[in-house]
Amino acid sequence: MDDLRLMLPEIILFCWSMLMLIVGIRRKQTAAANGFGLIYLTMLGLVVTAFAIPVTGYGVAFGGTFFVDRFGAFFKMIFLCAAFFAAASSGQLMKRLTADHGEFFSLVLLSTVGMMVLVSTNELITLYVALELTTIPLFVLAAYRKDRLTSSEAGLKYLILGAVSSAILLYGISLIYGLTGSTFLSISLNRLLEQSIGMLQATNDLNLALLIAMVMMIAGFGFKLALVPFHMWAPDVYEGAPTAITSFLSVASKGAGVAAFARVFYSALPTFNEFYWGMMVAVLAAAAMIVGNITAVLQPNVKRMLAYSSIAHAGYLLVGFVALPLTQNDPPYGPASIMFYMLAYLFANMGAFACAIAFEKNYGSYEIKDYEGLAKDAPALSLLFMIFLLSLAGIPPLVGFFAKYYVFLAAWKQYPWLVMIGVLTSVIALYYYARILKQMYFAKREVAFAKAQFDGPLTITLALTTVGTILFGLYPEPVIRFASQAFEAFPF
């Protein structure tokens, strides 16, 4: 029973996803009128699941394959919040769909279940199955607008490249199992670690098999995180997918990738950081910040700009990721900073996408040029969009500023060159975020905008993300304290 108790949030959410499927099928005849009812039902399921997380407590289940700790609980809350905001932002999509409303929300919840299992796993086969449960529903959701060619193209591209990344990751897992005979993270990777150290002492050479396995796993996670050079799928998929799903992809999918990455590499190979995977990940982080930010400058479309921006933010996340403590007495500020960064990114990015959805709903465009003069006729929407964009750019006192500050501070001692790249690319990011602000506040428009209309769930999303963006910027200490304690279970 203890095993089931520790898995209670995942069980509740899975059952709720089946409920959404059944309700959607039974009410399909009047589906157009039921979309908003299903939105509220989905939001209720996510809130119930969130309340179940503190009830379950912490522990180990299913023979050590399933960990429930502070680290996992934090990321599960991130996934649930992202799913909550994505569901609440899908009102416009529900109006355009004539059927399949229940399936849509069921797939969102199933993908969230996969992410929750992924962040708790301590075994490679379970990790792979959870990863597939996370991504397969996302392939379908990306292509959910079957009446639009761009949506079908997005789903197909995501499917093909997702399959490639899964194959690469699976190859790395197979290699580790072939070398060690175990799929448990702490056992198999530690055996490889011992083998590599022994070979290094005997022959002054590196363990080639370990390196290949590490490269394969980093490449697999790199696809999921859309890191450069594995990022080519992201802009087209983000642009073609329904915008509510794009926002879910940009936050929850990225958070799942980072959490799984941390669970694998922090659990078993923290001492290999500097000489093996640490430098590889640092180079990937630098490439993501440079390419993501420079390419975002050139984008005329808000969704594509935010897509390239998300690539850059994956780079900022990895700056904190590689900043492991040098001694056992050092506090884990680097790993803790990625948790705070995910929280900041959740509120700011989901809020920015909600503003883009509201603009498209009222004025029918995602083009940046069409935002000209918006502040005059829709001051509330413009103000909210400005808050989210400034937070993403890292302007104080918003939460995005402290997220970047903690990440850079943690990495300065070990990777000063990486921090310098991060600071310089942040200046570039400020330019393209400010471009939208310039259009809204300083460009003149000859024809006035109509009065903006917001549905109830979208209003809830905008309100909660605004509060989160401002509140955690003014008072970040509780989150930082919790994040620092979350890494007590890792062997730094």
Side-chain angles (χ1 to χ4, degrees):
M1 289 302 292
D2 273 354
D3 290 352
L4 293 178
R5 176 181 60 80
L6 290 172
M7 212 176 192
L8 184 62
E10 286 82 359
I11 293 172
I12 290 175
L13 198 59
F14 177 80
C15 293
W16 210 282
S17 72
M18 295 298 105
L19 173 68
M20 298 303 300
L21 196 60
I22 293 168
V23 171
I25 291 171
R26 289 181 63 84
R27 305 183 71 178
K28 190 170 284 188
Q29 297 304 319
T30 56
N34 293 323
F36 279 85
L38 292 172
I39 289 176
Y40 285 116
L41 191 59
T42 305
M43 292 163 67
L44 177 62
L46 291 162
V47 170
V48 170
T49 307
F51 276 108
I53 289 177
V55 173
T56 56
Y58 304 131
V60 182
F62 301 106
T65 60
F66 192 80
F67 271 36
V68 182
D69 52 14
R70 288 172 179 267
F71 175 78
F74 181 90
F75 272 95
K76 286 177 186 180
M77 292 300 292
I78 293 282
F79 304 149
L80 291 172
C81 288
F84 181 92
F85 293 142
S89 302
S90 58
Q92 184 66 7
L93 176 64
M94 292 300 105
K95 287 182 179 177
R96 290 173 177 167
L97 294 176
T98 55
D100 303 331
H101 294 167
E103 289 91 329
F104 177 85
F105 295 109
S106 180
L107 288 168
V108 171
L109 297 185
L110 278 176
S111 180
T112 309
V113 172
M115 294 173 188
M116 293 170 70
V117 175
L118 185 66
V119 76
S120 286
T121 185
N122 186 43
E123 197 263 342
L124 291 169
I125 300 299
T126 311
L127 182 145
Y128 182 75
V129 173
L131 195 63
E132 293 305 301
L133 179 59
T134 299
T135 52
I136 289 174
L138 293 176
F139 300 153
V140 182
L141 289 168
Y144 214 75
R145 289 290 307 276
K146 297 186 285 289
D147 56 322
R148 290 175 53 204
L149 182 61
T150 53
S151 185
S152 303
E153 181 186 348
L156 186 61
K157 281 186 178 177
Y158 197 21
L159 170 66
I160 293 171
L161 292 175
V164 171
S165 68
S166 295
I168 292 172
L169 182 64
L170 192 59
Y171 187 82
I173 291 173
S174 304
L175 194 56
I176 289 173
Y177 176 72
L179 289 167
T180 64
S182 173
T183 56
F184 279 81
L185 286 172
S186 54
I187 297 173
S188 58
L189 292 182
N190 277 329
R191 281 183 187 169
L192 276 179
L193 183 64
E194 291 170 4
Q195 289 173 12
S196 186
I197 290 174
M199 180 175 287
L200 193 62
Q201 291 173 340
T203 65
N204 199 27
D205 200 1
L206 303 177
N207 186 338
L208 183 61
L210 173 63
L211 277 179
I212 293 174
M214 293 300 101
V215 169
M216 290 291 174
M217 296 193 74
I218 289 173
F221 287 123
F223 269 109
K224 305 300 179 191
L225 288 167
L227 293 174
V228 177
F230 315 111
H231 68 292
M232 300 306 291
W233 61 273
D236 291 340
V237 173
Y238 281 28
E239 185 180 12
T243 310
I245 296 306
T246 304
S247 65
F248 185 62
L249 271 172
S250 69
V251 174
S253 176
K254 205 171 292 297
V258 168
F261 206 166
R263 187 67 83 180
V264 171
F265 285 84
Y266 285 172
S267 293
L269 294 170
T271 55
F272 259 32
N273 170 39
E274 187 175 354
F275 301 106
Y276 285 75
W277 59 267
M279 187 53 70
M280 281 191 277
V281 175
V283 171
L284 290 176
M289 290 187 290
I290 294 170
V291 175
N293 280 312
I294 290 177
T295 317
V297 172
L298 308 173
Q299 303 307 312
N301 181 287
V302 169
K303 288 177 72 175
R304 287 186 73 87
M305 188 208 75
L306 290 174
Y308 280 105
S309 162
S310 78
I311 293 169
H313 282 285
Y316 294 120
L317 271 170
L318 293 188
V319 172
F321 189 89
V322 296
L324 291 184
L326 295 173
T327 69
Q328 289 191 340
N329 295 325
D330 291 341
Y333 288 142
S337 69
I338 66 172
M339 293 174 67
F340 188 79
Y341 201 99
M342 273 309 306
L343 183 80
Y345 189 61
L346 165 75
F347 288 113
N349 208 50
M350 297 298 283
F353 270 109
C355 288
I357 290 171
F359 185 84
E360 194 276 339
K361 172 191 172 187
N362 285 282
Y363 311 117
S365 175
Y366 285 112
E367 298 299 314
I368 294 174
K369 64 181 175 59
D370 293 331
Y371 280 73
E372 61 180 6
L374 180 68
K376 181 180 178 183
D377 301 313
L381 179 60
S382 303
L383 177 63
L384 294 180
F385 208 1
M386 181 178 70
I387 290 172
F388 299 130
L389 292 175
L390 291 179
S391 181
L392 288 170
I395 301 299
L398 301 170
V399 68
F401 166 76
F402 290 100
K404 285 188 177 177
Y405 172 75
Y406 289 130
V407 163
F408 293 157
L409 183 67
W412 177 251
K413 188 180 290 184
Q414 293 168 267
Y415 296 95
W417 60 271
L418 191 59
V419 174
M420 292 301 296
I421 292 174
V423 172
L424 291 174
T425 53
S426 294
V427 177
I428 299 173
L430 181 59
Y431 171 78
Y432 60 77
Y433 290 131
R435 191 156 56 104
I436 298 179
L437 303 184
K438 174 177 172 291
Q439 282 292 96
M440 291 193 299
Y441 283 93
F442 299 105
K444 292 183 179 179
R445 184 183 179 87
E446 295 181 359
V447 181
F449 285 104
K451 186 178 180 182
Q453 302 288 329
F454 303 92
D455 58 56
L458 187 59
T459 304
I460 294 172
T461 300
L462 289 169
L464 292 178
T465 50
T466 304
V467 170
T469 302
I470 296 174
L471 176 65
F472 290 112
L474 297 174
Y475 189 50
E477 283 81 6
V479 182
I480 290 293
R481 198 180 311 119
F482 182 89
S484 300
Q485 294 170 350
F487 284 87
E488 290 175 349
F490 291 92
F492 296 130

